[in-house]
Structures are given as C-alpha cells and as structure tokens.
C-alpha cells in the first residue's frame, strides 16, 4: 500500500507541477493562438492527473486537503474543457456535462454543511469548506442558467471557460502554498494559504473575461 501511495504521490506532484508551471505561462502569453491551445492541453491533462490522484490518495489516507483539491480541480478543469464545445453553434449538453455538474452540486452542499459543522466546533478550517463549497455551487448555478437559456447566452462559453480554467489554476496554486506552508511564518493561520490564491488571482478573472469576450465580439 505504501508503494502504491508513493507512486500516486509522484504522479500527483508531476501533474500539479506541470499544471502550475504551464498555467503561469498561459497567464502571460497571447490567448487563442496555436501555442495557447497546445499549452492549454498540457495544463488540462496535468490537472486531470493531479485531481484524480488527489481523490485516490484522500481515500487511501483520509486527508481534507487532498479531497477538497481533488474535487474542485476535477470539476473546474473538466467543465472548462467541455465549455469549448459550445463555441460551435447548435451544440447541446451531453450526459457527461450533467454528471460533472451534479458531481459538484452534491459535494458543494456537503462542503457547506461540513464547514458549518466545523465552525460550530470552533474550528476555523470550516471557513475553507464554506468558501470552496459556495464557489462550487455558484458555478453549478452558472451551468444551469446556460443550459436553461438554450445555450444561447452570447459568448457565455468563452466566459465560463476562462473562469473555470482560472479556477483550476487557483486550485494548483493553492495546493502549492498549502504543501509548502511550513516555509512561511508559523503565526499565519493555515486557512490563509487556502484562500490567498483566490484573493490574489481572483480579480484577474473578471479582467480576462471582459478583455477576451470583447476581443472575440469585435473580431
């Protein structure tokens, strides 16, 4: 069992490291060209590997950190990729799209409920569950509204793709900070490392969405 866990850990580090490195490059490079698409695929598969191995390791050795990162990473990454399909007109959601949304819906509710439970127990880590659960449910609502509109919301596919890819990047940066939190001053609460990437990178999401949706609209 130790050998299996070690192999999974190596795969997780490789996938997460690749995702963090490539994701950082994508932030500063031109979007939409051939290089962006190639790097995007590397990022996607790297984060799929990191998310999937997180969940397996969290089952083998129960760990809040691995479980939250695994759930959030897989949902954001998979749904971001699926939204690219709607660039072409007359596309409709498939069974896998509903499965991905229900997956996050269920765990979003669980995260919020468990977060409340932890806070009642005077454990500040409950804040992390509440934040990630709320963000997850917000994106599930976005999925619902997009499908309810008949997939006709103009450039929603691009906006949703950008938001979710950025969300996946935030998850990879969060994992990096949490794992390496020991190098920072000990007086900093652990939940700060969970929330800091979203606070830092989050504001960029709105800017990227506005910039690239306008660019596509006028192209």
């Amino acid at each position: 069992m130790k050998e299996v866990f070690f192999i999974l850990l190596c795969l997780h580090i490789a996938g997460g490291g690749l995702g963090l490195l490539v994701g950082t490059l994508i932030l500063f490079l031109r979007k939409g060209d051939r290089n962006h698409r190639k790097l995007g695929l590397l990022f996607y598969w790297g984060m799929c590997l990191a998310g999937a191995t997180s969940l397996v390791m969290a089952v083998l050795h129960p760990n809040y950190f691995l479980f939250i990162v695994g759930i959030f990473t897989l949902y954001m990454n998979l749904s971001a990729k699926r939204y690219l399909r709607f660039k072409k007109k007359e596309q409709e959601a498939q069974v896998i799209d509903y499965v991905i949304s229900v997956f996050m819906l269920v765990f979003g509710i669980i995260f919020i409920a468990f977060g409340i439970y932890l806070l009642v127990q005077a454990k500040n880590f409950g804040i992390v569950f509440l934040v990630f659960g709320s963000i997850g449910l917000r994106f599930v609502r976005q999925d619902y509204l997009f499908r309810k509109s008949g997939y006709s919301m103009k450039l929603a596919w691009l906006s949703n793709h950008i938001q979710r890819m950025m969300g996946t990047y935030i998850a990879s940066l969060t994992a990096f900070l949490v794992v390496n939190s020991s190098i920072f001053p000990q007086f900093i609460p652990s939940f700060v490392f969970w929330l800091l990437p979203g606070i830092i990178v989050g504001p960029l999401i709105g800017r990227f969405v506005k910039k690239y949706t306008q660019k596509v609209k006028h192209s």
Side-chain angles (χ1 to χ4, degrees):
M1 187 64 72
K2 290 183 179 180
E3 291 78 7
V4 173
F5 190 86
F6 178 74
I7 293 173
L8 290 170
L9 179 60
C10 290
L11 292 173
H12 174 75
I13 293 173
L18 176 64
L20 184 58
L21 175 61
V22 174
T24 302
L25 287 174
I26 291 174
L27 285 179
F28 297 101
L29 295 179
R30 183 179 179 180
K31 311 297 185 293
D33 61 10
R34 186 177 180 183
N35 288 330
H36 175 236
R37 290 192 291 272
K38 287 183 176 179
L39 290 173
L41 280 176
L42 281 177
F43 178 79
Y44 171 77
W45 287 113
M47 295 312 298
C48 277
L49 179 60
T53 50
S54 285
L55 288 185
V56 177
M57 289 190 295
V59 171
L60 295 177
H61 292 283
N63 184 301
Y64 289 162
F65 162 66
L66 289 173
F67 191 72
I68 294 176
V69 169
I71 294 293
F72 200 74
T73 297
L74 284 176
Y75 169 73
M76 287 292 190
N77 200 39
L78 293 173
S79 62
K81 185 73 163 57
R82 295 296 300 176
Y83 265 106
L84 289 177
R85 295 176 59 253
F86 296 101
K87 180 178 181 179
K88 298 178 181 179
K89 296 181 179 180
E90 299 181 357
Q91 293 290 327
E92 294 186 0
Q94 298 177 346
V95 173
I96 184 62
D97 298 302
Y98 290 100
V99 170
I100 292 171
S101 294
V102 171
F103 172 81
M104 189 66 249
L105 173 64
V106 171
F107 282 105
I109 293 172
I110 291 174
F111 283 177
I112 289 176
F114 193 61
I116 294 173
Y117 169 78
L118 290 178
L119 290 178
V120 170
Q121 300 296 316
K123 297 179 180 179
N124 288 334
F125 198 77
I127 296 173
V128 173
F129 276 95
L130 285 177
V131 170
F132 277 80
S134 298
I135 293 174
L137 292 181
R138 173 182 174 274
F139 281 108
V140 171
R141 181 175 182 274
Q142 201 175 69
D143 293 340
Y144 168 75
L145 292 176
F146 180 68
R147 291 163 193 162
K148 185 180 179 181
S149 72
Y151 319 102
S152 62
M153 296 170 66
K154 193 171 183 179
L155 294 180
W157 66 269
L158 179 58
S159 173
N160 292 343
H161 171 73
I162 294 173
Q163 292 180 57
R164 289 147 198 269
M165 276 303 186
M166 292 287 285
T168 308
Y169 177 74
I170 288 173
S172 69
L173 184 56
T174 299
F176 176 79
L177 287 180
V178 171
V179 169
N180 296 284
S181 60
S182 60
I183 67 176
F184 296 98
Q186 297 299 310
F187 64 83
I188 302 177
S190 62
F191 69 85
V192 170
F193 299 106
W194 284 86
L195 305 180
L196 190 59
I199 294 173
I200 295 174
V201 182
L204 294 176
I205 297 177
R207 292 177 60 185
F208 281 151
V209 168
K210 182 178 180 180
K211 178 179 179 180
Y212 292 104
T213 52
Q214 288 182 344
K215 183 178 179 180
V216 171
K217 188 184 300 183
H218 295 99
S219 61

